[in-house]
Amino acid sequence: MALRKLLKLSAIASALALAGCGGDLVVNTGGTDNGGGNGGGGNPPPVTSVCPAFATAGESLAGVDLPVCEISGTMTSDTRLSNNIAWALSGKVTVGNDNTNSATLTIEPGTFVFGKSGADYLVIARGSKIQAIGTATNPIVMTSVNDMLGLSDQDSHAEWGGLVILGNAPSNKCDQANLASCQIQAEGEAGPYGGANPEDDSGALRYVQVRYAGFEVIPDNELNGITFAGVGRGTDVEYIQVHNNLDDGIEFFGGTVDAKYVVLTGNRDDSLDWADGWTGRMQHVLIMHNQNNSKANRGIEADNQSGNFTAEPVSKPRIANMTIIGNSFDGDDDSEGILLRAGTAGELYNVIVTGPAGMGECFEINSDESVANAQNGEIIFRNSLIDCTEPFKNTVDATGNVTLNAETWFRAQPGNIVGDALLGGYIPAPNSPALGNGYNVANNVDPWFDNVTYIGAFNGTTDWTEDWTFGLHASDDLASCPAGTTEVNSLTGRINCQLSGDIIANVTLAAGADYVLSGRVRVGQDNRNNATLSIAPGVTIYGKSGADFLVVTRGSKINANGTAANPITMTSVQDVIGSPTAAGQWGGLVLLGNAPTNKCDQANLAACEIQAEGDAGPYGGANNNDNSGVLNYLVVKHAGFEVIPDNELNGITFAGVGSATQCSNIQVHQNVDDGIEMFGGSVNCKNVVLTANGDDSVDWADGWSGKLQFVLVKHAADGAKANRGIEADNQSGNFTATPVSNPTIANMTIIGNSFDGDDDSEGILLRAGTNAQLANFVVTGPAGMGECLEFDSNETKALAAAGSLTMTHSVIACPEPFKGDLGNGTTTAQWFLAQSGNSVAPSQAAVLNGIYTIDATTAKDMSAVNSFFDAVNFIGAVEAGNDWTAGWTVGLED
């Protein structure tokens, strides 16, 4: 263990011992790991207190740069917490008494307030105020002593109590005929709330983080990260975050308070909870369950009143521009999206709900009263997007009859979408359906809202979480390597952590280090000792030779979820040290799944053991919906390795990978063999860039039945080695093996070059019995490029002649556009031009401006074919003004 960590452990032990003895906690400024300013021995110098009269000072504690002053009891006069002191809460600290001895607590920007246990929490009583106004560069942080000492991690929670604000605004638990005497007791023994004043003012929260809080006083009576109980709309709330709370992130008990720019991350129960007549508003809300798949429940859990579903005023908030991203936690309460129940009403506009394949239902309405609200317009949910494996859960009565079909109801609301959200992390890609399809709530509903045109919390270009939030962005360099990795000599100027052998427990590669592969690194052991390798946005993984490659075995997962601003990069050591790069400098990435391949015994798929190329391991099985994890904003560069002739590692190999695997925004650049190759399986991908690869850019075989949309292939601009944009087989050893390869691919651009060798730069070769459904293609290249469309093998030609194999709404603009015939007197050219919407063009300049399509061919609406596809009004991969490749790819500049 690193010396720094040992010192931190010693410090926390000392702090807790002091707390147990009634001592106060003070963190010494200055000093070093070898004794610092204490002169190398003897007793420490006397403590000179810097604490004001309302706080107490105590023994010093090395490890943190701020002195600590402890506050306790009730503040009955105005108090300021300055940012040159770390403020420790001792027990329940209350600002004001209940509507008497009212006070204002002011907290300066950049101030730290912390608790030592769940019994330490901050309460703002009715009639009092908190003025916690930070800035984007100096947010106010409320957290735990563990966090102050650097001991909290991505799984930490319940390390102190939380923040409770009690107000005089109405609750439907109050006697509505006598609101002024309302005395509802808040959870956590915080005190009473509620009243007759919807305009009540409890102060302001701006640029405030609440980390690692939450405490269960008794079962079902917990402290949330921030509790708003009877808080009025005179209170200002914006730019707040609750991170890794034990219970709910924020919960509204009645009241009318509004909030904008809210971030709720890693909370272990519901992220946003409301009840008891809350009628406030929210806009710009990001909810992310912990991406290591630890405990989480709902993005929204909403009640009217648990004891009286028809109590008035009915809970009916208005919420716009929210993004909810779940995880795959599976327990008594799964990670889920939105549950509206117990009589709540509400208006939801411009909401995205999404998550990985293991996430539970994303939208559900429960209780007869809430169902009635949905049917009579008291629940509005419009211009929203659900992208989930389990998108809906129906409402059923006690006899099992469906009283509300959630999917039918959702699809019937204006502007709603069920399909791929195309997010990079939480930011929509330029071609995401979230952009441009939002509802103008400001003009049409309520001018309090900002005027936007997008669905979700973000507009695709501006990330309003930057600078002031915690845990969302790449942080400073790590001090030590994450668990499951080993520190090695640095080649990159910061800590280098090595991956080797078999990973048989979950490992997270955090930002702030570079990671090196040593030999074949496997995640899991082929349906045994399954594990998940999670990779943070911005991480770089490199290999030193062709023998270094990463394999995700059957039953295990990779969670490589980058962003456009911080893509994940897998590359060579030459690349990371700035030496000349080339293809074949390391191995590549291999995903092995349990989905079918036609090389398996179709009568016994469960026993399938097909060996992948490159000595990667076995693949194949009986599960078309198998889930190998997430690839998103991932760039694989300078890879590929020939183990023996015709047995190579591709940039990314998908072998028996199932359709539950999420694949979008991926690039393979300068690979020695194929860019991506599918061996059977049913995996689908969107937004794929394949540049300067030395063999085929897209290759499939052995029964692949997946889908692709928005695929850009560009052979090397300098005329370097390249072969086909697509090379497609059914099975090389058995052209009629079943299931027959039959993918559906739309919106693909293939740009060849003039390479002329044993294998020229070419367009599309369909052979060895494959079938395919192709639409909205642009195939082009310069003079010297080889043929752009060819059929080989009698079996494939027969499929084309019979109309089973299709290619429509496409244009070919090549010097040698076609080769061969179908064997029935029909040439390839005649077949192509007889398909719907096809044409030829004289040159590359006639169809493309760079990578952007300028050809005016009418596109086929592929969304009518399958909901995986987006409906677009252009052919090819990219249109000007909607460049989804911008900002994260390489090699497209030429």
Side-chain angles (χ1 to χ4, degrees):
M1 183 181 292
L3 178 60
R4 183 179 304 180
K5 181 61 69 73
L6 286 169
L7 287 169
K8 288 178 178 177
L9 289 171
S10 176
I12 185 62
S14 301
L16 294 176
L18 285 169
C21 297
D24 299 310
L25 180 64
V26 167
V27 180
N28 195 356
T29 62
T32 63
D33 288 347
N34 62 0
N38 288 341
N43 295 320
V47 174
T48 301
S49 176
V50 296
C51 298
F54 63 84
T56 58
E59 301 294 332
S60 63
L61 177 69
V64 177
D65 290 337
L66 293 172
V68 170
C69 298
E70 189 169 278
I71 51 179
S72 60
T74 302
M75 301 176 186
T76 56
S77 60
D78 293 349
T79 301
R80 176 179 291 270
L81 304 185
S82 60
N83 57 22
N84 61 342
I85 291 170
W87 301 90
L89 302 173
S90 178
K92 181 175 82 168
V93 177
T94 306
V95 179
N97 289 312
D98 180 38
N99 281 324
T100 62
N101 300 316
S102 298
T104 296
L105 175 65
T106 300
I107 307 177
E108 295 181 352
T111 298
F112 285 82
V113 179
F114 67 92
K116 302 183 289 293
S117 74
D120 302 327
Y121 58 108
L122 179 62
V123 179
I124 313 301
R126 292 191 294 186
S128 291
K129 295 182 181 180
I130 182 171
Q131 294 290 344
I133 302 176
T135 68
T137 54
N138 285 292
I140 293 164
V141 178
M142 299 183 181
T143 188
S144 67
V145 67
N146 281 14
D147 187 30
M148 295 291 291
L149 294 169
L151 298 176
S152 300
D153 59 28
Q154 62 181 345
D155 292 317
S156 298
H157 59 277
E159 294 183 340
W160 69 291
L163 172 63
V164 182
I165 303 178
L166 308 173
N168 288 296
S171 160
N172 64 25
K173 280 191 168 181
C174 298
D175 178 354
Q176 301 302 299
N178 191 16
L179 286 172
S181 63
C182 187
Q183 294 280 335
I184 308 301
Q185 290 298 315
E187 292 185 346
E189 300 181 351
Y193 70 92
N197 183 11
E199 305 297 327
D200 193 41
D201 182 1
S202 295
L205 300 179
R206 186 174 300 127
Y207 292 111
V208 174
Q209 300 173 11
V210 176
R211 309 179 193 168
Y212 307 117
F215 181 63
E216 187 174 54
V217 180
I218 58 175
D220 296 322
N221 189 324
E222 305 100 345
L223 289 168
N224 305 294
I226 305 177
T227 297
F228 295 92
V231 178
R233 69 172 64 97
T235 309
D236 295 327
V237 180
E238 61 179 4
Y239 297 102
I240 63 170
Q241 178 182 18
V242 178
H243 178 72
N244 276 32
N245 200 72
L246 170 69
D247 192 46
D248 301 331
I250 59 176
E251 184 160 7
F252 298 95
F253 295 93
T256 55
V257 65
D258 305 320
K260 281 183 178 177
Y261 300 106
V262 176
V263 176
L264 304 169
T265 48
N267 298 300
R268 295 174 70 84
D269 196 7
D270 309 310
S271 296
L272 169 61
D273 199 327
W274 71 73
D276 305 340
W278 178 50
T279 56
R281 298 164 291 191
M282 298 183 80
Q283 189 178 24
H284 313 303
V285 183
L286 172 63
I287 291 172
M288 288 185 69
H289 292 168
N290 200 319
Q291 296 302 287
N292 68 358
N293 297 320
S294 60
K295 188 177 187 300
N297 196 197
R298 299 176 178 110
I300 292 178
E301 181 178 278
D303 299 346
N304 182 38
Q305 193 204 109
S306 60
N308 179 2
F309 292 2
T310 60
E312 294 184 347
V314 172
S315 298
K316 192 180 179 182
R318 285 175 172 165
I319 300 174
N321 297 99
M322 171 183 280
T323 297
I324 298 173
I325 302 175
N327 67 17
S328 57
F329 174 74
D330 185 10
D332 293 338
D333 295 303
D334 298 347
S335 169
E336 299 172 359
I338 297 173
L339 172 63
L340 307 179
R341 67 181 188 184
T344 194
E347 300 177 19
L348 305 177
Y349 305 95
N350 304 337
V351 176
I352 294 174
V353 188
T354 188
M359 183 180 176
E361 62 268 9
C362 283
F363 178 56
E364 176 186 5
I365 297 178
N366 203 349
S367 86
D368 292 342
E369 294 77 5
S370 289
V371 167
N373 287 335
Q375 293 169 335
N376 65 22
E378 290 300 303
I379 292 177
I380 297 171
F381 193 3
R382 63 169 297 168
N383 291 82
S384 294
L385 194 163
I386 291 180
D387 175 14
C388 300
T389 303
E390 188 180 343
F392 303 102
K393 184 175 181 179
N394 292 336
T395 310
V396 297
D397 62 20
T399 62
N401 294 318
V402 174
T403 58
L404 182 75
N405 183 302
E407 180 174 7
T408 300
W409 182 87
F410 178 82
R411 289 183 182 271
Q413 309 310 301
N416 284 347
I417 301 169
V418 180
D420 194 338
L422 277 176
L423 301 183
Y426 48 81
I427 302 292
N431 60 335
S432 169
L435 301 180
N437 288 313
Y439 187 61
N440 191 328
V441 184
N443 287 353
N444 296 316
V445 180
D446 185 339
W448 177 84
F449 290 91
D450 297 327
N451 189 340
V452 303
T453 60
Y454 53 89
I455 300 173
F458 301 92
N459 65 5
T461 57
T462 301
D463 184 354
W464 49 262
T465 71
E466 287 184 343
D467 297 327
W468 67 274
T469 56
F470 178 79
L472 284 175
H473 304 284
S475 58
D476 295 335
D477 291 351
L478 297 181
S480 59
C481 288
T485 69
T486 304
E487 185 171 352
V488 294
N489 290 334
S490 176
L491 299 177
T492 63
R494 62 177 177 177
I495 191 168
N496 282 203
C497 306
Q498 182 171 280
L499 296 162
S500 59
D502 292 347
I503 298 170
I504 58 173
N506 294 346
V507 170
T508 297
L509 306 185
D514 293 320
Y515 298 89
V516 56
L517 301 173
S518 177
R520 183 185 72 173
V521 177
R522 297 197 308 171
V523 182
Q525 295 175 322
D526 189 37
N527 285 324
R528 297 181 302 109
N529 297 317
N530 295 335
T532 297
L533 177 66
S534 298
I535 307 172
V539 161
T540 294
I541 300 172
Y542 67 90
K544 294 175 287 186
S545 75
D548 301 327
F549 60 104
L550 179 62
V551 179
V552 182
T553 67
R554 293 189 294 186
S556 290
K557 295 179 182 178
I558 183 171
N559 182 18
N561 197 0
T563 69
N566 290 288
I568 294 163
T569 302
M570 298 183 182
T571 189
S572 66
V573 66
Q574 290 89 341
D575 190 27
V576 299
I577 67 174
S579 293
T581 55
Q585 292 179 330
W586 69 289
L589 173 63
V590 181
L591 274 61
L592 307 174
N594 287 296
T597 162
N598 62 27
K599 282 192 168 181
C600 296
D601 178 354
Q602 301 303 300
N604 191 15
L605 286 172
C608 189
E609 293 280 339
I610 307 302
Q611 289 299 315
E613 292 186 346
D615 193 30
Y619 69 93
N623 184 7
N624 259 312
N625 297 319
D626 194 41
N627 181 7
S628 295
V630 177
L631 301 181
N632 191 27
Y633 286 107
L634 169 68
V635 178
V636 176
K637 300 189 286 183
H638 314 303
F641 182 63
E642 187 174 55
V643 180
I644 57 175
D646 295 323
N647 189 324
E648 306 100 347
L649 289 168
N650 305 293
I652 306 177
T653 298
F654 296 91
V657 177
S659 61
T661 306
Q662 297 181 44
C663 173
S664 56
N665 300 296
I666 63 171
Q667 179 180 18
V668 178
H669 176 70
Q670 204 175 34
N671 198 73
V672 76
D673 192 46
D674 301 332
I676 59 174
E677 183 161 7
M678 283 77 164
F679 295 92
S682 50
V683 64
N684 310 312
C685 297
K686 270 185 182 172
N687 292 7
V688 179
V689 178
L690 304 165
T691 48
N693 295 301
D695 196 6
D696 309 311
S697 296
V698 176
D699 197 328
W700 73 74
D702 304 339
W704 178 50
S705 59
K707 295 176 280 288
L708 300 176
Q709 189 176 26
F710 310 120
V711 184
L712 174 60
V713 170
K714 190 171 186 288
H715 290 170
D718 62 359
K721 187 178 186 300
N723 197 198
R724 299 176 178 110
I726 291 177
E727 180 178 280
D729 298 346
N730 181 38
Q731 193 204 109
S732 59
N734 179 1
F735 292 1
T736 61
T738 58
V740 172
S741 298
N742 190 16
T744 304
I745 303 175
N747 294 95
M748 184 169 186
T749 297
I750 299 173
I751 305 171
N753 67 15
S754 57
F755 175 74
D756 184 10
D758 293 338
D759 295 302
D760 299 346
S761 169
E762 300 172 0
I764 300 170
L765 173 63
L766 306 177
R767 67 182 189 185
T770 193
N771 202 350
Q773 314 305 315
L774 312 179
N776 303 340
F777 271 57
V778 174
V779 187
T780 189
M785 180 181 176
E787 61 270 15
C788 282
L789 178 63
E790 177 186 4
F791 299 104
D792 197 8
S793 87
N794 292 333
E795 291 77 5
T796 294
K797 292 179 179 182
L799 291 170
S804 177
L805 189 158
T806 65
M807 184 175 184
T808 68
H809 301 81
S810 298
V811 61
I812 291 178
C814 299
E816 187 181 344
F818 305 104
K819 182 177 180 180
D821 56 45
L822 302 188
N824 63 353
T826 302
T827 66
T828 303
Q830 290 169 332
W831 175 89
F832 176 81
L833 292 171
Q835 305 295 299
S836 177
N838 286 351
S839 64
V840 294
S843 67
Q844 183 173 334
V847 294
L848 294 179
N849 178 13
I851 61 172
Y852 303 134
T853 301
I854 59 174
D855 182 87
T857 297
T858 300
K860 181 177 181 179
D861 180 4
M862 294 299 293
S863 67
V865 176
N866 187 280
S867 61
F868 166 82
F869 294 100
D870 297 330
V872 295
N873 60 5
F874 62 94
I875 67 169
V878 190
E879 65 172 344
N882 188 17
D883 186 358
W884 51 265
T885 72
W888 63 276
T889 58
V890 298
L892 290 175
E893 299 81 8
D894 296 325

